Amino acid sequence: MPKSKPRKKAAAKKKQQRREFHAAARDVAIEGYPQGTWDDDAQELLTSRGWVAYRDLEMDQLGDGWEWLPSQLPLDAGVGGEPGPTSVFPNVEGGYDVELASANGTVDPDRSGHYDTLEDLAADLDVLEAWRVPVGEYVLPDSPSFSANTPWEICQLYAGGMIDHWELVADLLHFPYEETAEGFAAVERAHRGGFIPTILFDAIVRGRAA
């Protein structure tokens, strides 16, 4: 049975830290959010393909952002930081910034880029969605740990605000379901019961099928 890890931070605090990290990387002001950029056309395109939008997760204070959650590594993969998924942000000066998934949450200049138009971004989405952090760039422990001992308990933690959405997805993408009595059916039951939203459930299903 996989081991669970102690919860040290509430999800709200971790969300704010994640916002501040991306804001600093993109030179976006925090106070008052004066530089927030919203893009309804990109929202329509990306969410139609399964990207999860900040505005749909109440993370839109800094403007729009979209995550390709199937690219999320297990939380144990992080070295010096938490792993993060491939993300897209509208640039305040126009166009779109892309950060590929990483093992430690850093923004690697060699794995980030800019698209001048939505059409340019759309033309590259298949490539962006297929990209994964190379296996040789992270090492998983022999006994991986998760936010709780079972998928059902992980979903309850998310519903209670104890873990954030990327922790939920990281856990449920990589959980060893064969070691539990209920298997992935526990996640399906949690979705039916309203413990996890459809956009995250779909991302988990999509990531497990990749």
Side-chain angles (χ1 to χ4, degrees):
M1 176 66 68
K3 59 185 179 181
S4 61
K5 55 194 171 191
R7 308 313 311 163
K8 295 182 179 179
K9 302 176 184 176
K13 182 176 180 180
K14 298 190 82 172
K15 275 186 180 180
Q16 181 61 23
Q17 290 174 336
R18 198 170 178 93
R19 291 190 195 107
E20 290 173 354
F21 170 80
H22 284 295
R26 296 161 53 225
D27 194 27
V28 175
I30 297 288
E31 294 298 329
Y33 314 113
Q35 299 183 47
T37 302
W38 286 263
D39 190 312
D40 291 337
D41 291 335
Q43 168 78 4
E44 181 178 0
L45 169 66
L46 293 171
T47 57
S48 72
R49 294 177 63 103
W51 291 69
V52 173
Y54 282 7
R55 66 170 79 176
D56 294 332
L57 294 171
E58 299 181 354
M59 290 180 63
D60 61 351
Q61 288 90 335
L62 296 179
D64 271 330
W66 303 272
E67 295 178 333
W68 185 247
L69 291 176
S71 65
Q72 176 74 52
L73 286 173
L75 296 178
D76 282 340
V79 178
E82 293 179 333
T86 295
S87 303
V88 174
F89 305 95
N91 189 295
V92 68
E93 296 180 353
Y96 304 88
D97 297 326
V98 174
E99 300 168 5
L100 294 179
S102 71
N104 57 12
T106 60
V107 181
D108 186 339
D110 293 332
R111 291 180 179 170
S112 59
H114 179 81
Y115 294 86
D116 290 332
T117 69
L118 186 59
E119 290 73 18
D120 291 340
L121 174 64
D124 227 13
L125 284 177
D126 286 342
V127 174
L128 296 176
E129 292 166 1
W131 197 87
R132 297 293 185 271
V133 178
V135 173
E137 294 186 6
Y138 61 92
V139 178
L140 296 176
D142 293 334
S143 298
S145 62
F146 298 88
S147 299
N149 290 323
T150 68
W152 177 253
E153 292 171 337
I154 292 169
C155 294
Q156 289 181 314
L157 286 177
Y158 175 78
M162 296 304 296
I163 61 175
D164 209 341
H165 73 278
W166 74 88
E167 295 173 289
L168 172 81
V169 171
D171 280 346
L172 298 182
L173 274 179
H174 303 287
F175 200 91
Y177 292 96
E178 68 280 1
E179 298 182 17
T180 66
E182 194 174 1
F184 191 74
V187 182
E188 297 171 331
R189 180 161 61 95
H191 175 234
R192 291 194 302 271
F195 288 98
I196 59 176
T198 296
I199 54 173
L200 296 184
F201 176 77
D202 288 348
I204 294 162
V205 171
R206 186 176 290 107
R208 282 172 46 78

